[in-house]
Amino acid sequence: MTDLIRIRRPDDWHLHLRDGPALTDTVAATAAQFHRAIVMPNLVPPVTTGDQAEAYKARIMAAAGAAPDSKVDGARSGPSKPFLPLMTLYLTDTSKPEAIRTAFEGGQAVACKLYPAGATTNSDSGVTALERLTDVLEVMQAIGMPLLIHGEVTDAAIDIFDRERVFIERTLKPLCQRFPKLKVVLEHITTSDAVDFVKAAGPQVAATITAHHLHCNRNHMLAGGIRPHYFCLPILKRSSHQTALRIAATSGDPKFFLGTDSAPHAVEAKESACGCAGCYTAPLAMQLYATVFDEMNALDRLEGFASRFGADFYGLPVNDDFITLKRQAWTVPDAMALGAAEIRPFLAGQTLGWTFETDTADSNQ
Ligand code: DOR
Ligand code: ZN
């Protein structure tokens, strides 16, 4: 049995850090494990311009500098390289192709995020009809700028458990036909339909998979009581979909890579009559992924999923330092700080079989 694995330092290809006082905590949690992260732009107001992305990046970097070493057992060591946020722009109905080209070519943003208006947290300024973005998408295709998609329809007539599947049929397939060279990441996939779509598409289409969708299905959230800390969007699906995700993530197929979608909300915003969507997984991300890969007898494939395939898709080098994961019981803290507020991490109080630590030995591979 493998009790210790050493892999190249991973990156998180889908992350919410929020803003303001929360940044100190959210950035420290991610920087303890990952070197880079694709940072979501769904702030209030959203990050729509290159200048806004640059200013947000500066706030994140400042928080990284100020961040104390993580005090969480199981994520003890600090990173050996400074955390590098990779910024994204939030698309709206009025996004302008030349401004997006300038932000990409000037290094202010690496990708654009498509939120269908009303699909999820802070998506009110999102896109109401993709036809409005034809000129933007043409430019993105031409310059090789990835489109990161929250893949759910917002049609009130569509059942919430069907919204990803219907989005793929109604929106994503036609989009990929109209823009066959556009780089697309279908974010946080939750269904076997999404797995099948991504596998059948060309190499320009990939997907991120969260740790919580690998760990849970909708029974975890709803059977025996309603558990708001399992509520996220796209919502957890039935176990057959969870199984399809676990097989895809551990298959070694480079189209599937790590994106936590760690999405912090204070305790009172989750434990409410109308609770917010999002699971805070950043402080325990690699412990969660290692547990699943272990259960699937695929620990030898964790490095590809966590540390190689995303970098390859974005055309970036892999990291040259390493982390170590150990088979060792570790209990997730009940509560953590989120600025002045308190947050319950995903699986709070539960015991995982893996711990995380940064490997400080030199790279020679
Ligand atoms: O669960 C989610 N939380 N899904 C999203 O798409 C957004 C995120 C957030 O920002 O809280
Ligand atoms: Zn997200």
Side-chain angles (χ1 to χ4, degrees):
M1 204 198 299
T2 311
D3 289 332
L4 193 121
I5 53 169
R6 184 170 180 260
I7 61 169
R8 256 168 217 282
R9 181 177 289 283
D11 303 295
D12 185 349
W13 301 100
H14 184 124
L15 175 68
H16 299 267
L17 289 172
R18 312 303 187 208
D19 207 351
L23 278 182
T24 307
D25 298 305
T26 58
V27 173
T30 291
Q33 304 208 354
F34 299 98
H35 174 44
R36 296 167 291 201
I38 292 273
V39 179
M40 289 297 122
N42 61 333
L43 304 182
V44 187
V47 178
T48 56
T49 70
D51 288 347
Q52 287 170 344
E54 198 173 313
Y56 184 30
K57 180 175 181 175
R59 296 195 295 279
I60 294 167
M61 302 282 278
D69 278 350
S70 171
K71 297 290 189 296
V72 183
D73 277 351
R76 281 183 290 272
S77 313
S80 56
K81 281 202 296 188
F83 177 61
L84 182 61
L86 303 170
M87 308 311 292
T88 60
L89 300 182
Y90 183 115
L91 292 175
T92 71
D93 284 349
T94 57
S95 294
K96 297 283 178 289
E98 282 320 306
I100 283 169
R101 177 199 292 274
T102 305
F104 181 68
E105 293 180 346
Q108 291 176 313
V110 301
C112 286
K113 179 69 190 272
L114 170 67
Y115 287 107
T120 187
T121 310
N122 302 338
S123 64
D124 295 349
S125 316
V127 175
T128 60
L130 259 188
E131 295 67 47
R132 294 173 192 261
L133 288 185
T134 299
D135 50 357
V136 167
L137 297 173
E138 270 164 5
V139 164
M140 290 176 64
Q141 176 171 252
I143 63 180
M145 185 180 199
L147 177 69
L148 316 183
I149 299 182
H150 183 107
E152 288 191 287
V153 291
T154 55
D155 183 343
I158 304 295
D159 189 278
I160 191 166
F161 291 100
D162 295 332
R163 290 183 179 188
E164 183 175 279
R165 179 176 60 72
V166 173
F167 181 89
I168 291 167
E169 289 306 318
R170 278 190 193 171
T171 308
L172 192 51
K173 285 186 179 171
L175 174 76
C176 291
Q177 272 161 10
R178 276 174 68 215
F179 300 97
K181 298 211 166 97
L182 180 65
K183 290 184 88 158
V184 167
V185 183
L186 185 54
E187 300 287 350
H188 42 54
I189 59 170
T190 62
T191 58
S192 60
D193 310 87
V195 170
D196 293 344
F197 169 79
V198 170
K199 276 165 69 174
Q204 80 285 4
V205 176
T208 53
I209 305 183
T210 78
H212 46 286
H213 288 100
L214 293 174
H215 269 265
C216 297
N217 59 63
R218 63 194 191 185
N219 277 6
H220 294 93
M221 178 174 58
L222 295 171
I226 186 161
R227 296 184 184 79
H229 295 282
Y230 289 73
F231 176 56
C232 61
L233 288 171
I235 198 162
L236 294 169
K237 306 297 192 299
R238 63 170 63 245
S239 71
S240 56
H241 292 296
Q242 180 195 6
T243 300
L245 298 177
R246 288 167 73 99
I247 292 170
T250 58
S251 66
D253 183 338
K255 286 165 152 270
F256 300 101
F257 47 82
L258 186 157
T260 63
D261 197 20
S262 176
H265 294 277
V267 171
E268 57 274 16
K270 296 283 294 171
E271 298 176 8
S272 145
C274 184
C276 293
C279 301
Y280 187 46
T281 52
L284 59 152
M286 288 309 298
Q287 297 92 316
L288 291 169
Y289 283 112
T291 303
V292 169
F293 275 70
D294 187 21
E295 287 166 2
M296 298 293 286
N297 282 322
L299 283 171
D300 57 327
R301 296 190 174 156
L302 181 60
E303 184 178 63
F305 177 80
S307 316
R308 289 185 181 276
F309 302 154
D312 292 347
F313 183 86
Y314 279 89
L316 296 169
V318 296
N319 296 320
D320 56 13
D321 58 335
F322 288 76
I323 64 163
T324 301
L325 293 152
K326 265 191 208 156
R327 186 187 301 282
Q328 187 175 299
W330 172 65
T331 302
V332 184
D334 278 330
M336 302 178 82
L338 182 68
E342 195 173 77
I343 188 165
R344 256 175 104 72
F346 184 63
L347 301 189
Q350 296 190 35
T351 299
L352 296 175
W354 286 84
T355 57
F356 165 90
E357 62 187 46
T358 286
D359 187 329
T360 48
D362 279 346
S363 152
N364 54 7
Q365 290 180 29

